Amino acid sequence: MDDTTPGICVRPGGLADAPAILDMLDSAVAWMNARGNTEQWGTTPYSQKTGGAARVERYTTENAPYIAELGGTPVGAIVLDSGPSPQMPIAPAGEPERYVRLLVSDRQRAGLGIGAALLAHAVEETRRAGVGLLRVDCWAGGGGELVAFYERNGFTATDPFMSGSWPGQVLARRVD
């Protein structure tokens, strides 16, 4: 459990959480689109994207998912892996690492520190595993707001990259 943000508890996730994660992803796409951001995740609801539901199911069965709850209701999710997605143009770290594959929170509860609580939990899980490096990649467009979010949470920008026309940024945080 993680009590860095009052009222938010973080627990291990699993396949039963896939529908809630898909709902959060769908609402995140709608929220971004309403703000004029159609580049980060496109305009199609995540659950309707080819392979979207299957990817979330893989995240909940093949990776290490964690669910943030507020009053027993899922309000966020983070998925950890041992390295970046092989589909992304990102080199492995060259040392053991934990890698944030997904971070999403319920946009109706924005500003409550859900993302920060999940990242704090990821730091603790990385430390518990005896691993000294936690990395994440994110969309670097839109004025860099997402990059700034990760920097506010203790990450340092390392390697910018392009995935087609999608600008990305790798960020790292030492946890040893």
Side-chain angles (χ1 to χ4, degrees), residues 25 42 45 63 73-74 83 89-90 106 109 114 117 122 125 133 140 142 144 162 171:
L25 287 165
N63 299 115
T73 300
I90 300 168
D106 180 347
R109 292 176 172 89
I114 296 164
E125 288 298 320
L133 179 64
M162 292 295 289
L171 297 101

Side-chain angles (χ1 to χ4, degrees), residues 1-158:
M1 292 294 163
D2 189 329
D3 61 357
T4 58
T5 303
I8 296 175
C9 294
V10 179
R11 64 166 173 80
L15 184 58
D17 296 302
I21 295 170
L22 275 173
D23 285 347
M24 284 184 261
L25 287 165
D26 284 351
S27 74
V29 169
W31 178 80
M32 284 186 262
N33 289 181
R35 296 181 57 187
N37 177 350
T38 59
E39 298 172 38
Q40 184 175 348
W41 285 356
T43 57
T44 303
Y46 201 88
S47 62
Q48 295 176 22
K49 289 183 181 193
T50 302
R55 177 177 292 140
V56 170
E57 287 183 13
R58 278 194 314 278
Y59 282 164
T60 61
T61 58
E62 297 174 11
N63 299 115
Y66 296 92
I67 304 298
E69 292 184 333
L70 191 58
T73 300
V75 294
I78 193 167
V79 175
L80 300 178
D81 199 356
S82 60
S85 169
Q87 286 77 38
M88 296 299 282
I90 300 168
E95 67 178 275
E97 68 177 311
R98 289 294 177 266
Y99 205 94
V100 176
R101 285 288 190 95
L102 174 71
L103 176 64
V104 64
S105 62
D106 180 347
R107 300 316 310 157
Q108 293 179 355
R109 292 176 172 89
L112 297 181
I114 296 164
L118 285 163
L119 287 172
H121 188 80
V123 166
E124 288 308 310
E125 288 298 320
T126 301
R127 189 174 287 125
R128 268 195 278 278
V131 175
L133 179 64
L134 177 63
R135 292 197 308 160
V136 63
D137 64 78
C138 69
W139 185 60
E145 294 99 350
L146 193 51
V147 172
F149 164 78
Y150 285 108
E151 289 175 333
R152 284 192 308 275
N153 282 279
F155 288 80
T156 301
T158 57

